[in-house]
Amino acid sequence: MSKKAIGYAVFFVILLGGFFYFLFAGTDNWRAKLPTISYVKPFSFTNQDGKTVDEDDLKGKVTVVEYFFTTCKGICPKMNTSLKKIYEQYKDEPDFMILAHTVEPETDSVARLRFYADSMKIDTKKWVLVTGRKDSLYKAARGSYLLDDPANSVAKLEDQFIHTQFFALVDKGGNVRGSVYDALKKDEMEKLSRDIKGLLKEKAGPNGFVNSVFSNNPQ
């Protein structure tokens, strides 16, 4: 190969390198991304302080989502033990929160959620417990977070009961990322922690929130 051809090849490589540098500089596009598996649809629930919580409260936050009920004696205490470890790791991160939905709103009133939160000794600005209409809570579990099979909604609402040990993970733009995480498996909780750390480093990407009517204002 002639010196001239080598010079052209070197110039091309430098030019290509410069192109990719300016393409990715200041972005997270060079990082391996957690897959997007869903996105958060509009919702409106009531938290342990009687205040409205909606999808706007998740914007700019990396959020772990769970479903539980306060009188559960089975998997819920184990789930919240796992989640408490995640909470302790990230509670000082301004862009982190946990959103815990009751699956038994007929029992879990605002006052009961407040009592439960106090018993766990958590900061309810970082770990938010919500109640609302059962159909809306269940629709969010199935339609937004993929924490239950949508086919389960065919039964009468009063006969439905979601009892899941899985958590979902939402990025700053409202996209549900990674996978669902089994709260009863140590390795999956370690993966959840790593994935939270990665999403906290990401800049807010494409917005996964939508503005369609969701019809879930709690009464």
Side-chain angles (χ1 to χ4, degrees):
M1 183 182 291
S2 68
K3 290 182 179 180
K4 187 175 181 180
I6 293 172
Y8 279 129
V10 171
F11 174 76
F12 177 75
V13 169
I14 293 172
L15 186 66
L16 190 63
F19 170 76
F20 282 108
Y21 173 78
F22 285 109
L23 181 64
F24 293 111
T27 73
D28 296 306
N29 294 336
W30 57 275
R31 297 179 187 272
K33 298 281 190 178
L34 286 174
T36 296
I37 60 174
S38 185
Y39 56 90
V40 178
K41 285 76 170 177
F43 65 85
S44 180
F45 299 126
T46 303
N47 72 10
Q48 70 289 322
D49 297 317
K51 297 180 179 178
T52 298
V53 176
D54 61 27
E55 70 278 4
D56 287 338
D57 293 291
L58 273 61
K59 290 180 179 177
K61 305 287 186 182
V62 174
T63 305
V64 178
V65 175
E66 78 157 337
Y67 276 75
F68 80 111
F69 59 108
T70 61
T71 56
C72 173
K73 303 299 183 184
I75 62 172
C76 298
K78 296 176 183 178
M79 290 167 60
N80 283 331
T81 295
S82 295
L83 197 51
K84 190 73 176 289
K85 293 177 182 177
I86 297 292
Y87 166 81
E88 292 294 342
Q89 281 182 277
Y90 293 104
K91 65 181 181 181
D92 295 326
E93 290 284 346
D95 296 337
F96 172 77
M97 68 178 289
I98 295 168
L99 184 63
H101 307 68
T102 180
V103 299
E104 204 170 60
E106 61 275 17
T107 299
D108 288 337
S109 63
V110 168
R112 186 180 285 271
L113 291 182
R114 179 75 249 183
F115 180 83
Y116 191 85
D118 289 343
S119 71
M120 290 198 298
K121 296 180 170 59
I122 56 173
D123 178 356
T124 52
K125 292 183 177 63
K126 304 297 293 186
W127 190 332
V128 183
L129 286 65
V130 295
T131 188
R133 279 183 11 200
K134 185 175 180 178
D135 60 339
S136 302
L137 290 159
Y138 281 37
K139 188 174 182 180
R142 293 162 178 157
S144 290
Y145 307 116
L146 310 185
L147 292 176
D148 190 60
D149 188 345
N152 292 336
S153 65
V154 297
K156 292 180 180 179
L157 182 63
E158 58 269 26
D159 296 332
Q160 294 179 37
F161 188 69
I162 293 177
H163 201 200
T164 177
Q165 65 204 49
F166 295 101
F167 300 148
L169 182 59
V170 181
D171 69 14
K172 297 175 185 178
N175 303 290
V176 182
R177 300 282 293 278
S179 61
V180 292
Y181 301 82
D182 191 331
L184 305 185
K185 294 182 178 179
K186 182 180 178 181
D187 60 331
E188 294 210 14
M189 289 300 93
E190 291 171 348
K191 183 178 187 305
L192 174 60
S193 180
R194 292 194 301 270
D195 290 348
I196 291 168
K197 186 175 182 179
L199 292 185
L200 284 169
K201 291 179 180 178
E202 284 188 3
K203 297 181 179 179
N207 196 329
F209 296 99
V210 295
N211 295 316
S212 59
V213 176
F214 200 49
S215 298
N216 60 353
N217 295 317
Q219 302 297 323

